[in-house]
Amino acid sequence: GNHKASHGSLYNGSKSKAVAVLGWGLMGQSAILDEAVEEMVNDGITVIIAAGNENADACSYSPYSSLAITVAAADDSLTGSHARSPFSNYGSCIDLFAPGSTITGASNVGTDGSVQAQGTSTAAGMAAGVATLYLSELSQEYPGDKKQGPT
């Protein structure tokens, strides 16, 4: 669309190995937001989307694009079987599950502080780390290739 010209100088339609994490969502759907995600992928950015924490069908929420990677949260502390976290959205729009419950992370409290986090944003961050490593070290693939898997 016309808005592509406004950021064309940044990406210039070339392939890149950039990764963006969208760890927020809307209650409902937004065609404009979903189109923006698709444009990001088309501009060469691998987009990782948090599925949402409403225990509902992820296909009912934005942002979403079939070209992006939508991540739900898994919780192995419940059953030891890496089950879906009870709060995580689900459905056919989910591409993969990543750890998203009781994740220990760094805190800004003291020099050795930690915090427990949970949510699909946490899971999306984990998936983004793997995608970044894969794209930077192991692959000649680009965002539009992500559903085919490693070559």
Side-chain angles (χ1 to χ4, degrees):
N2 292 337
H3 66 282
K4 186 171 182 173
S6 67
H7 65 273
S9 61
L10 293 174
Y11 305 110
N12 203 21
S14 64
K15 299 274 187 170
S16 79
K17 295 200 175 188
V19 176
V21 181
L22 305 182
W24 44 266
L26 298 177
M27 295 300 285
Q29 296 174 313
S30 165
I32 292 171
L33 184 56
D34 294 347
E35 288 171 20
V37 170
E38 199 158 311
E39 286 286 333
M40 290 173 69
V41 175
N42 289 335
D43 283 344
I45 300 170
T46 298
V47 179
I48 311 291
I49 299 173
N53 302 316
E54 292 78 28
N55 188 28
D57 187 345
C59 300
S60 299
Y61 295 87
S62 289
Y64 175 75
S65 169
S66 63
L67 300 176
I69 300 170
T70 302
V71 183
D75 180 1
D76 67 348
S77 69
L78 293 176
T79 63
S81 65
H82 306 289
R84 179 180 64 86
S85 297
F87 55 80
S88 180
N89 286 359
Y90 52 83
S92 62
C93 292
I94 302 298
D95 291 303
L96 59 91
F97 285 81
S101 294
T102 320
I103 304 299
T104 301
S107 168
N108 64 352
V109 179
T111 58
D112 61 353
S114 64
V115 64
Q116 294 286 314
Q118 71 175 19
T120 59
S121 294
T122 302
M126 297 270 193
V130 172
T132 301
L133 178 62
Y134 178 75
L135 289 170
S136 68
E137 301 278 337
L138 307 172
S139 172
Q140 296 302 311
E141 295 181 11
Y142 294 94
D145 305 327
K146 62 98 181 151
K147 299 247 176 160
Q148 284 75 42
T151 57

